[in-house]
Amino acid sequence: MVGYPLRGGFEGIPRSLRSADSRLITSAKVTHIDPARRVAYTADGRCFLWQRIVSTIPLPELCRITD
């Protein structure tokens, strides 16, 4: 279930996350997620270790790119 902010629409979600953690990365196209290693790989060749991951892509796409 997705909860929307009272103000600001859907864009309020990343804005509130950004204020909570300065390490938030936005606008990165994730092409592969390895949950066992907690690594996300991006289209431009970067990889990120993560403790928590928030996705806004459609669920079928998330399933396709996740091990």
Side-chain angles (χ1 to χ4, degrees):
M1 176 154 75
V2 174
Y4 290 93
L6 292 175
R7 295 186 186 129
F10 194 77
E11 69 273 3
I13 294 171
R15 193 175 314 120
S16 67
L17 290 172
R18 181 176 292 141
S19 66
D21 187 345
S22 62
R23 297 171 296 156
L24 181 70
I25 298 162
T26 60
S27 301
K29 178 164 176 61
V30 175
T31 57
H32 184 78
I33 298 172
D34 183 340
R37 292 191 175 117
R38 292 188 176 201
V39 179
Y41 300 90
T42 63
D44 62 5
R46 295 179 292 167
C47 64
F48 298 95
L49 299 173
W50 49 270
Q51 291 180 340
R52 293 183 182 103
I53 191 166
V54 176
S55 174
T56 57
I57 64 175
L59 187 56
E61 175 69 8
L62 180 62
C63 292
R64 188 184 68 73
I65 66 171
T66 302
D67 282 349

